[in-house]
Amino acid sequence: MSYNAEAKADAVSPERLAGRYSYLEREGLLPLPTRDGVTIIVELAHKEWAEECLKRLLLYSGPAVRLTGVVMKEDFPLEPLLEQLSAETELSFLPYERGNYRTNEALADARTSFVVLVEDRVMVTPGWLGELLWPAIDDPAAYVTAPCSAAEEQEGRAVLRFGNDLELSAYVNHQLSRFRGEWQEVQVLSGPCLIITRDILQRTGGLDASLGERRYIIADWCLRARQLGARLALSSASYVHVLQPLEGNTGYTDGGEQAAYAEAGRAYCAKWGLPDERLGEAGLPVPGELSALERQPAIPLGRTAAALPLVTAVVYFEDKWPAAASMQRQLLLQAQQSYGNIRWVSVRDSWADTSPDFPVHEQDTVITVQGEKLWLHALESFSAMYQSEVTVYLSASVSYDSEYVTRIVKALQHSTAALIVSAAPGLAESELPSYPERGAAAVLPLERTAHRGGIMPGRIVKRESSRRSLLLCPGPELAVGYIAGGPASGAGGSVNDNLPSDGEGGTRK
Amino acid sequence: MNYIIFSGVSWEAYSYKRLLDVLPEREDIVFAGTMSSSEQAESGIRSLSLEEIYRLPVKDFTVLVSSPYWLQDVLALSPAFVVALLEHCPEGEDGSLWDKYSGLLAAQADLTATASERLYLEQLLSRSGVVYLSGDSPLSYGLIRRGERLYFLADYEAVWKRALEELWHPQDKAADVEPWAAIQLRHRAEYYLSMCTKLPKQPTVHYLAASYLYLLGDERAAQLLTRSFELMLLHDYTDCLHSHYRFFSAMEAKRGNLELAVRQYEITAFTAEERAVSEQLQHWLDSGRRELVQAELYRLNEDGAAAIRLLEGAADPEARSLLLLNYTDTFQWEKALRLQQEPENTAGDPAAAVLQGSGAAISILQQIPVMEGTLYLLYGKRHAAIRSFLRAAGADQGARALFAEMADLEEAVGRLRGRMADDEV
């Protein structure tokens, strides 16, 4: 080959090289630009599409990915996916837990430099991921990248109809060949697919599930990342195809879903100091000067107390307790429970209760009433006064093992019962002696009963026996579930030695 | 699922090929007629002659029929389900014959679908279970995998898929799932509401938005209709009392405001016949027979489907006569004949009921043998059909028109089969 010929070959080499690079990427022959692979977190909510979505992600994302499917809806059937995809070792699932936003758990578990958060209504194409990782390498401040899709904001919104996957792939390849390497900085992203670096994830923290709607949750996270100096990149060359639920709320229906969506929008606006009217704008409203706003706190990643359902533990003293003993008892009960999100409320009858006001945490409450009738009424109507997802009644005269509240919450999450009765420690649920008829309205021992929030549990009456404990007569419409008691050792379940005897404590008249 | 396709045209001209691609749980698909071997390989569909189709285990098949002149064969085959694909009358066919037998096909079908929005709306006013095979949303609403290929579904294709699936696997009524028919109505309403914003002075888009909202039972329908009516008057289309103003009476009837609805109808009642109907409505209203008033207002607004839904559960003895009228109007003639033959029917004399609204008053009693004869004809009982037609004609010369129509139908069916046979040559 002559020198001139070599020079000519050099002159065309960038295009040729780009062509060859393009071929390698399309064929999945290129490694991803990351040493430790990519974690893909798939939010599972659409049972009819999830399998196809996961299969395409497994097929087209390259060998260095790990997938975590997070079940977002209670009625999402996970079993078929487990059966279909059991051979996929790089795929794991986080089942649904009521009240627990498990996406943050999955994000916390991600150990790779890049994390992808994607909805199960996204259909990807061969080589989709590589292009989306490059912005963070092009610009060290570009920590967050998204592809164009029909559900992205403003500049990223590409509404396109494809008859089948061949047409989709042809378009994606065409876009890549035209715009490879091009990305632009945007104010906000809120779409179904987001690529983030672990670095910014750890600094920004998790998603704020309290905003309710995914669009606002993602946008809020992006704004928080921007407050920390992150640039948001929209890849002009990348496109993912998003499916729309047929029943989807497109702003026309009057139902509860629309109200919830509007409420989420208002919550987002309130958080970022935006007037609600701006929700009517074409795109998602964002604050003009993010740096001028107070920095939003990071949301802890992982399984946090805030992510657990709030439990209200109502502590009641049936007997007259000496002041010091009652305070000690209350603190002991509080310290014993391992569950992370409890609001403690004690309901006291000022006539019977001699204990002084003891210090409580900010969210805890002491309700003082005078007279037994009022005291019982306060216990009955408690759930109407304080909103929480679960209310647990704890008698000061009974000991509970450390997992008692956790067990109750779990039982309510996995059952449709309105009320849960725990057997005495060491007893299986089937061994409940007094309440053999499952589900039938019965008289329940208040000290071992819990109920869902937002219901009136029924009437509370005194049990005339040596123990003088309280009973709950549940409303006939409420389903009652029974669970086994905790471990028999240690906790005992009966009155401890340090508790007052009948003689010492006196009786309520 | 297995399907047989009865088309009015050759495979090459068949316009529903994409819908066949996205059929749910596709197994054996048979096209009645001829296809080349490459067409069969490409589409995954085999072609069979009519004789071969008659030898299939038809009870395992759903038929997709896009010409009403296949109706006799479809009824003779008695497949698992019949899906009618309704079209406007093609050039060269007799319009009234086509429309009549299209109506009968739709009434016999388990599911009706059409790519024409006019036919869609007409069918919605006649029956439930109607799919509109077109749409304006550019988004994808679902997918179907067939072998290596993944198909993305437009909104109406996703509705079509769900409607077909529910033929075989009916939705549990207790399930908290929005029915596909309501979803599609909602999509159409959303589309026209967005069009109203874009074209605020266009009366037709407001009228169509009002129509879909009315069908959804959405109270905003009246507001949109008011706007449409105003725009019509502004554009000097003064002849809109029948077409627009009368529609208010159906909306108010739906809301239960029957006094207002009757007054609104009265304003649009010009002819002696319409005024008589108006008086009848007022009489029923005064005597507290509100179900009759409501149902009749629906019928007068051509909403036979709503009238039938109401009357089928009504206790009023005269409801049966009105039901008969509505069955007749909506081509549900088998139901009409069954109702006519029920002994309890003596309570309400259908002979007294008069088909109103179309101009001429025709006694139902005269209409019964015509319906009977037509159904005999469709079930291949030619002699019984002739007897019924002769009975319908009575002493006058009316039988000639009925026999002429019978000959026209036989000729149309013959042409269709001939085309199919030509394809096979």
Side-chain angles (χ1 to χ4, degrees), chain B residues 88-345:
Chain B
H88 288 293
C89 179
E91 231 171 273
E93 297 283 356
D94 175 341
S96 62
L97 193 72
W98 177 274
D99 289 345
K100 175 180 172 181
Y101 285 92
S102 289
L104 286 163
L105 170 63
Q108 292 286 340
D110 300 285
L111 183 69
T112 305
T114 176
S116 151
E117 191 162 23
R118 186 168 74 74
L119 291 178
Y120 173 57
L121 280 165
E122 281 175 13
Q123 286 298 313
L124 285 172
L125 294 173
S126 294
R127 69 198 84 256
S128 53
V130 188
V131 183
Y132 178 45
L133 296 176
S134 184
D136 301 279
S137 170
L139 297 165
S140 293
Y141 287 84
L143 49 82
I144 275 194
R145 174 165 282 288
R146 197 149 63 78
E148 291 294 296
R149 198 77 308 117
L150 188 67
Y151 293 90
F152 298 116
L153 306 180
D155 55 350
Y156 64 90
E157 290 171 339
V159 169
W160 162 253
K161 172 178 173 266
R162 194 178 289 185
L164 285 173
E165 282 169 342
E166 285 186 16
L167 286 180
W168 293 93
H169 315 293
Q171 185 70 246
D172 180 3
K173 287 217 163 56
D176 186 21
V177 179
E178 188 180 8
W180 55 259
I183 292 173
Q184 191 159 42
L185 281 178
R186 191 158 57 75
H187 280 230
R188 298 312 297 152
E190 278 167 30
Y191 171 70
Y192 281 109
L193 284 171
S194 73
M195 289 298 285
C196 291
T197 321
K198 286 179 197 151
L199 303 168
K201 297 199 167 145
Q202 224 292 334
T204 310
V205 293
H206 287 78
Y207 187 82
L208 285 165
S211 303
Y212 284 112
L213 290 170
Y214 161 78
L215 288 164
L216 279 164
D218 189 310
E219 299 227 333
R220 285 174 296 172
Q223 194 186 320
L224 271 294
L225 182 62
T226 306
R227 183 72 190 136
S228 176
F229 185 59
E230 286 167 1
L231 288 168
M232 288 293 279
L233 294 177
L234 280 174
H235 286 87
D236 287 336
Y237 295 120
T238 46
D239 186 23
C240 54
L241 270 183
H242 266 100
S243 61
H244 284 59
Y245 191 81
R246 183 174 287 179
F247 192 9
F248 282 115
S249 67
M251 290 183 182
E252 291 304 332
K254 202 165 222 176
R255 296 167 69 174
N257 299 331
L258 298 186
E259 288 75 7
L260 176 58
V262 169
R263 279 203 303 281
Q264 283 167 332
Y265 178 78
E266 193 184 358
I267 291 169
T268 68
F270 293 139
T271 65
E273 196 185 322
E274 286 171 336
R275 281 200 298 276
V277 169
S278 180
E279 279 170 26
Q280 175 72 77
L281 287 172
Q282 193 57 54
H283 172 69
W284 278 336
L285 198 59
D286 293 341
S287 50
R289 300 166 82 178
R290 297 179 72 84
E291 278 176 330
L292 298 186
V293 177
Q294 198 172 16
E296 189 61 353
L297 281 165
Y298 289 145
R299 192 182 74 81
L300 293 165
N301 279 281
E302 293 166 16
D303 192 355
I308 288 169
R309 276 195 295 274
L310 183 66
L311 292 167
E312 280 179 338
D316 194 303
E318 205 156 335
R320 299 166 61 83
S321 306
L322 289 184
L323 194 54
L324 195 59
L325 277 176
N326 282 288
Y327 282 152
T328 309
D329 287 354
T330 56
F331 292 99
Q332 300 181 57
W333 291 358
E334 285 186 43
K335 283 187 182 172
L337 292 181
R338 273 202 300 277
L339 189 70
Q340 160 69 11
Q341 284 154 11
E342 278 176 22
E344 304 96 291
N345 208 34

Side-chain angles (χ1 to χ4, degrees), chain A residues 228-246:
Chain A
L228 300 170
R231 296 176 70 189
L232 309 180
L234 176 76
S235 168
S236 319
S238 301
Y239 171 86
V240 292
H241 198 51
V242 184
L243 305 179
Q244 183 76 20
L246 201 52

Side-chain angles (χ1 to χ4, degrees), chain A residues 413-455:
Chain A
Q413 278 176 340
H414 293 100
S415 137
T416 54
L419 290 142
I420 288 286
V421 181
S422 174
L427 285 185
E429 53 180 319
S430 56
E431 296 173 274
L432 278 160
S434 325
Y435 312 105
E437 290 177 38
R438 302 292 173 76
V443 183
L444 311 173
L446 189 67
E447 73 276 11
R448 299 221 158 260
T449 299
H451 67 80
R452 279 188 205 291
I455 62 162

